[in-house]
Amino acid sequence: MSTTTTEPAGTVATALAHARRLLGVDPRLAAEQAGAILEAVPRHAEATLILATALRLAGDLPQALRTLDPLSRAFLQSPPVQLEHGWSLAAAGQTQGAVAAFRRAVAAEPDLAEAWRGLAEALELVGDEAGAQVARARQTVLQIKGGVRDPALMAAAGALVDGKPGEAEKALRALLDTRPDDPAALRMLAEAVARLGRQEEAETLLVRCLEIAPGFTAARQNLATVLYRLGRSEDALVQLERLLADEPRNPAHLNLKAAALARIGEYAQSIAIYEDVLARHPQQPKGWMSYGHALKTVGRAADCAAAYRKAVDQAPSLGEAWWSLANMKTWRFDEADLAAMEAQLARADLSDDDRLHLDYALGKAHEDAGRWARSFEHYARGAALRRAQLAYDPERNRRHVARSKAVLTADLFAERAGQGCPAPDPIFVLGLPRSGSTLVEQILASHSAVEGTMELPDIGAIAKRLGGAKSSREPSAYPEILADLDPDQLAALGQEFLDRTRVQRKTGRPLFIDKMPNNWAHVGLIALTLPNAKIIDARRHPMGCCFSGFKQHFARGQAFSYGLDDIGRYYADYVELMAHFDAVLPGRAHRVIYEEMVVDPEAQIRALLDYCGLPFEESCLNFHENDRAVRTASSEQVRRPIFKDAVEHWQNYESWLDPLKSALGPVLTCYPAAPEF
């Protein structure tokens, strides 16, 4: 970047140096100084850049952009001009424009770390997580290169840039053997193991890193993200508040805060944050999608659909946004939507994640139109893509059932009678996804004594901790360890569950629901640690339940559902273990058969309330009038009266479901009873 001037060079240089110093002290004075230079030397490029920067720092974004736009067009290859243009566009919410400007900056100067940082932040906002990850890694490489020039750190950062976290981990562990307190290496190792799926280990490394370097902002941001992924939203919020104290308008921090607040049921705050961020950064398709999720949960269906529409308009290839529309269940696509989704699927550069979500969305669209063959084709393709991404082993589940039956005997429960935490607060609604469990939850949450929460991860987290395995490849001590726990330990575990879930309780109602379906695998843990808790087994016809699960793309946690054989075996394992508990703890769990609820809801609701020790209330029959937040795929459906059309819906697909029938075996023919195991 150069400029022509008739002023004495020394005078201009001195004035420019003074203006640059003022930028960090008083941006308004810097703007005045730059303006004075421009009066003397019109169109002076560096003075114009300082003026634009000062205007941005002073908060006058419209004027900053009016100053920068012509400068940016004139100096497309100037790294400082494109960098400043990127920051101003980002601050003004023009995220796509910011991405382009930062890309121009790094193209002109590949070693400009600040431009890579800006690009990473902008790409995160537009939902390009893979691109943001690469940009962050490039930034790290350059920061190291500009600092200690450590070859080991450089090699590890290069491996992360190349998408090889395993290689990065090896190099970083070797470095930490000699320098165990190196914060840069600890943070980078945390990133590597997080990419490898070891979030708990990443947390430990980041905590250590921040003990050594409390002001390491990037590490704190990583820690907040890891804590959120681990389901520890309260802990994530603590870290986010520290980050936001320094950067109160940082959209990435605010988006994560909104997501964490939604996880703990603070929907009003979450929605308000999304609205504020989207007003300032409207070009943010994943932000609109997350906002839509929050709106869906509180029942604002029209606003939710509009938010999802905004996401697909901004990013037509964002498969998850199309699927989010389909997953409203009551939404119907038109022919233009189908053509748009098919056009995206035809792209060779589409990611597998976008592709599978589009397949699920098209499966639902063709299902609604009664085109069963085309619908199944898309569902099967989406499920196959998702199955290939997961390391699911059905034998692990089979072994867990066998081990549970061996250790959780009638004698064990008799010996532990009267132990555990006596609180009667929890009502566990469990079974399989798509079994009618959300309907049961909605009915119970319509009672004046019961609060609905969400699918809580806490029982599973406690079980995982008891097992002691750091990964699925390591042997677990669970469930056998349950037989070794003394009365104090059992009581402490029950109390821990109550303490962990207290954040989800927003009312003074004495009872609350945990609707995590996977808790059927932990009925023994629940019975031993919370002997007065209620356990409700929501069960649906195996063909209807399993096929409904197969054609549902779950956000997380249901890896068994992406193969007809897998989900059939999982259902059979579930029936077997629940039959065992029926035998060793008779009457402990109450079973609700979905088809019976549909035929005679009042009788089934009365029996359900009797089991819970609750008096009948008419509001439970009118559950669809309850405006509580519902955080499952059935959120729209349970806001309508009970409908019968889903009971036999699977029969439209029966000709493709032989693998499911074979996997279910006698569980199918004996339903609703259980076969002899």
Side-chain angles (χ1 to χ4, degrees), residues 392-436:
Y392 175 68
D393 177 10
E395 287 304 315
R396 289 188 68 245
N397 199 58
R398 174 99 287 279
R399 290 192 295 270
H400 174 76
V401 170
R403 292 167 64 190
S404 296
K405 290 173 66 175
V407 68
L408 298 168
T409 63
D411 289 343
L412 176 69
F413 287 116
E415 292 166 5
R416 302 293 191 274
Q419 298 180 14
C421 175
D425 304 29
I427 300 174
F428 294 92
V429 179
L430 46 81
L432 259 74
R434 313 299 295 153
S435 64

Side-chain angles (χ1 to χ4, degrees), residues 31-55:
E32 290 178 10
Q33 177 72 22
I37 296 171
L38 288 167
E39 284 182 10
V41 190
R43 296 187 298 280
H44 190 288
E46 189 171 355
T48 304
L49 180 59
I50 292 172
L51 174 60
T53 305
L55 289 167

Side-chain angles (χ1 to χ4, degrees), residues 415-422 485-487 490-491 527-531:
E415 292 166 5
R416 302 293 191 274
Q419 298 180 14
C421 175
L485 300 176
D486 63 34
L490 291 173
L528 290 168
T529 60
L530 291 159

Side-chain angles (χ1 to χ4, degrees), residues 50-185:
I50 292 172
L51 174 60
T53 305
L55 289 167
R56 172 176 64 85
L57 293 174
D60 190 351
L61 292 173
Q63 188 58 37
L65 286 172
R66 282 193 289 272
T67 304
L68 267 173
D69 286 343
L71 190 68
S72 178
R73 289 192 296 271
F75 294 94
L76 285 171
Q77 304 302 315
S78 168
V81 170
Q82 297 306 322
L83 176 62
E84 179 55 36
H85 201 197
W87 289 129
S88 293
L89 288 165
Q94 298 179 38
T95 316
Q96 295 286 6
V99 168
F102 288 129
R103 287 198 189 282
R104 290 192 293 271
V106 298
E109 188 176 333
D111 288 350
L112 190 57
E114 276 298 284
W116 286 108
R117 177 170 76 89
L119 181 59
E121 292 178 0
L123 289 172
E124 284 172 353
L125 281 177
V126 300
D128 185 354
E129 293 171 9
Q133 203 171 67
V134 169
R136 286 273 184 218
R138 288 287 302 172
Q139 176 197 358
T140 302
V141 169
L142 293 166
Q143 287 171 334
I144 295 166
K145 184 177 179 181
V148 296
R149 297 180 180 272
D150 187 292
L153 280 177
M154 287 290 293
L160 286 175
V161 170
D162 294 338
K164 299 174 181 177
E167 288 185 16
E169 179 185 7
K170 184 177 179 180
L172 289 162
R173 290 200 184 282
L175 186 151
L176 287 164
D177 283 342
T178 59
R179 298 208 310 267
D181 292 336
D182 187 315

Side-chain angles (χ1 to χ4, degrees), residues 523-600:
V523 167
L525 171 62
I526 294 168
L528 290 168
T529 60
L530 291 159
N532 295 316
K534 301 300 181 184
I535 301 171
I536 298 163
D537 176 10
R539 191 167 298 185
R540 181 180 172 190
H541 188 282
M543 294 298 291
C545 182
C546 291
F547 181 64
S548 185
F550 175 76
K551 64 190 181 76
Q552 174 73 41
H553 182 262
F554 296 96
R556 59 188 178 277
Q558 311 300 349
F560 60 85
S561 66
Y562 300 104
L564 291 171
D565 178 71
D566 288 342
I567 198 169
R569 292 178 65 181
Y570 185 90
Y571 188 104
D573 289 340
Y574 142 74
V575 170
E576 180 176 348
L577 189 55
M578 291 308 297
H580 171 74
F581 288 124
D582 287 345
V584 300
L585 286 171
R588 185 71 175 80
H590 175 77
R591 187 155 296 117
V592 175
I593 303 297
Y594 176 73
E595 294 78 18
E596 295 175 5
M597 177 69 79
V598 168
V599 171
D600 190 355

Side-chain angles (χ1 to χ4, degrees), residues 396 399-400 403-404 407-408 459-460 462-469 475-483 485 493 518-526 528 577 581:
R396 289 188 68 245
R399 290 192 295 270
H400 174 76
R403 292 167 64 190
S404 296
V407 68
L408 298 168
I459 287 292
I462 291 170
K464 184 176 181 180
R465 190 185 74 235
L466 289 172
S476 171
Y478 181 84
E480 288 82 4
I481 195 172
L482 294 175
L485 300 176
L493 287 171
N518 310 65
N519 280 340
W520 67 265
H522 308 299
V523 167
L525 171 62
I526 294 168
L528 290 168
L577 189 55
F581 288 124

